[in-house]
Amino acid sequence: MIQRREIILRQINNSWKLSCISFLAACSLVITCGLIEAQEKGKLEFATSKSTGMKMVKVPGGTFKMGAGEADEKYLSANAPGFPSGMLNTFKPVQEVTVKPFYMGIYEVTQKDYKKINGKNPVVGALGIGEVEVLDAPVFNVSWFDALDFCNKLSTKDGLTPCYALKKTKKDSGAIVSAEVTVLKGTGYRLPTEQEWEYACRAGTTTPFAFGDQLDPKDAKFKVPNEKRTPEQIFQSQVMKVGSYRANNFGLYDMHGNVSEFCFDIYKNAYVDGETQIGFSLDDSQFESRVLRGGSFDHGVENTMSCYRQAIAPSVPWEGMGFRVVRN
């Protein structure tokens, strides 16, 4: 009787083990380097920062056409005839670019995320106009140097090695306004390159916006003319909480509007024809202007196009600028 009971218990135990193995195989659960990755066949692959809970999605590698193409020019001609031709030329020429897979934050870094890492929220009292804390909204009033510093601190918190070295830092009103920056071969978090950003924003599309030929105010936070505002857009001059609008095909939110996002790259007035890595620069000069992408809540819809880019000094914090992080 005892022997039979032991056999039954072993059978139950083996059955339970097989069930667990089958479940783990189906989910491909992997825990590595501060990231908890849950991969399900046929679905987006996500990862979570161990220290902050920031959610990231795996952006698949691929090849795309970067820059303002025929569809973009047609949109501007029909919807923004006064768009400066000189600025349009900075989005050209269209180049075919190949991007390797990487992880990207599904949201812009929030005030809550930033406060967890730095112990303070730079939005509170920003620019002397008394902004209040909205923890689930994007952080702003940070410089490009602050964004690099955040990446390093987040990497360390998650047990990863930093991607940058910042020396001889100087601050003004709490923001880092100058530093000697060296790019390291770290395993941690970093800012996206301009290539990665546009590839992620387009998410396989060739239209002016990730959602088609037009961008509806229901799909992104941008500046809507007064005469076109609805009652729901009464707070149009403010940032929105992340995830307030639908995601693109890669599972990324707010790639159009809300806050403009830092890229690592030095800003060039135009893409150089024939370059193999268009829009990609690891130059660590502390004085060159850097690239901003995506447009903000204070920009017109034409300034939120997938191809739109602008320059900003790395020392300047501004109400409409934030960032999101990536890692390899």
Side-chain angles (χ1 to χ4, degrees):
M1 188 70 168
I2 294 175
Q3 186 177 8
R4 185 183 175 194
R5 182 182 298 172
E6 288 177 348
I7 292 171
I8 292 173
L9 286 174
R10 280 199 299 269
Q11 288 175 338
I12 293 172
N13 189 42
N14 289 336
S15 178
W16 178 83
K17 286 181 179 179
L18 287 172
S19 296
C20 288
I21 292 169
S22 297
F23 172 78
L24 291 174
C27 293
S28 301
L29 189 65
V30 184
I31 300 178
T32 58
C33 300
L35 288 177
I36 303 171
E37 303 176 346
Q39 303 176 0
E40 294 183 66
K41 188 176 181 180
K43 295 185 179 181
L44 296 173
E45 299 179 15
F46 293 100
T48 305
S49 163
K50 184 177 180 180
S51 63
T52 64
M54 291 170 58
K55 196 171 184 179
M56 307 183 80
V57 66
K58 187 175 183 180
V59 177
T63 300
F64 79 112
K65 290 186 177 180
M66 182 177 182
E70 185 177 340
D72 301 301
E73 292 196 51
K74 185 178 179 181
Y75 172 83
L76 288 172
S77 177
N79 297 277
F83 194 85
S85 59
M87 180 172 285
L88 177 59
N89 288 335
T90 68
F91 311 159
K92 297 179 179 181
V94 174
Q95 295 279 334
E96 190 172 89
V97 176
T98 299
V99 175
K100 294 180 179 180
F102 61 97
Y103 280 95
M104 187 176 221
I106 67 170
Y107 303 128
E108 294 153 333
V109 172
T110 66
Q111 296 173 35
K112 178 172 63 178
D113 298 329
Y114 199 88
K115 191 174 182 178
K116 277 185 179 180
I117 296 300
N118 281 309
K120 63 179 182 179
N121 184 355
V123 170
V124 178
L127 309 179
I129 53 179
E131 278 86 351
V132 296
E133 191 169 56
V134 182
L135 292 177
D136 290 328
V139 71
F140 57 84
N141 195 39
V142 292
S143 70
W144 179 82
F145 294 115
D146 287 324
L148 300 190
D149 182 61
F150 176 88
C151 289
N152 280 354
K153 289 177 178 177
L154 179 60
S155 297
T156 301
K157 285 271 189 181
D158 277 7
L160 306 168
T161 55
C163 291
Y164 312 109
L166 277 70
K167 297 180 180 179
K168 297 183 179 180
T169 59
K170 293 182 180 179
K171 291 188 175 183
D172 184 13
S173 301
I176 301 176
V177 296
S178 70
E180 289 183 1
V181 179
T182 303
V183 178
L184 307 174
K185 294 181 179 179
T187 60
Y189 301 93
R190 57 181 176 82
L191 291 183
T193 67
E194 192 174 13
Q195 288 178 323
E196 290 171 332
W197 194 96
E198 185 171 330
Y199 176 74
C201 179
R202 290 188 179 279
T205 65
T206 57
T207 48
F209 306 96
F211 305 120
D213 291 322
Q214 301 285 335
L215 186 62
D216 192 283
K218 294 180 180 179
D219 291 327
K221 185 58 181 274
F222 56 89
K223 192 172 185 177
V224 178
N226 289 335
E227 65 274 13
K228 296 183 179 180
R229 293 188 186 188
T230 64
E232 292 77 15
Q233 293 161 346
I234 192 168
F235 298 113
Q236 190 66 39
S237 62
Q238 301 175 1
V239 294
M240 293 289 285
K241 292 182 179 180
V242 297
S244 294
Y245 305 96
R246 61 175 170 142
N248 69 12
N249 293 337
F250 285 165
L252 299 163
Y253 296 83
D254 300 315
M255 296 297 283
H256 299 296
N258 217 14
V259 292
S260 299
E261 300 178 15
F262 291 120
C263 293
F264 184 82
D265 307 62
I266 285 177
Y267 180 86
K268 300 176 182 178
N269 285 331
Y271 301 135
V272 181
D273 193 12
E275 283 191 359
T276 56
Q277 291 184 307
I278 305 303
F280 180 79
S281 171
L282 289 181
D283 191 318
D284 50 18
S285 170
Q286 61 173 306
F287 302 110
E288 297 285 349
S289 292
R290 298 289 164 166
V291 173
L292 275 179
R293 284 295 198 132
S296 77
F297 65 89
D298 200 32
H299 281 111
V301 63
E302 67 274 10
N303 302 125
T304 68
M305 297 169 64
S306 299
C307 67
Y308 182 80
R309 59 199 296 268
Q310 63 184 116
I312 189 70
S315 59
V316 176
W318 178 57
E319 184 181 6
M321 294 188 313
F323 64 101
R324 72 179 75 213
V325 298
V326 303
R327 64 162 302 206
N328 296 335

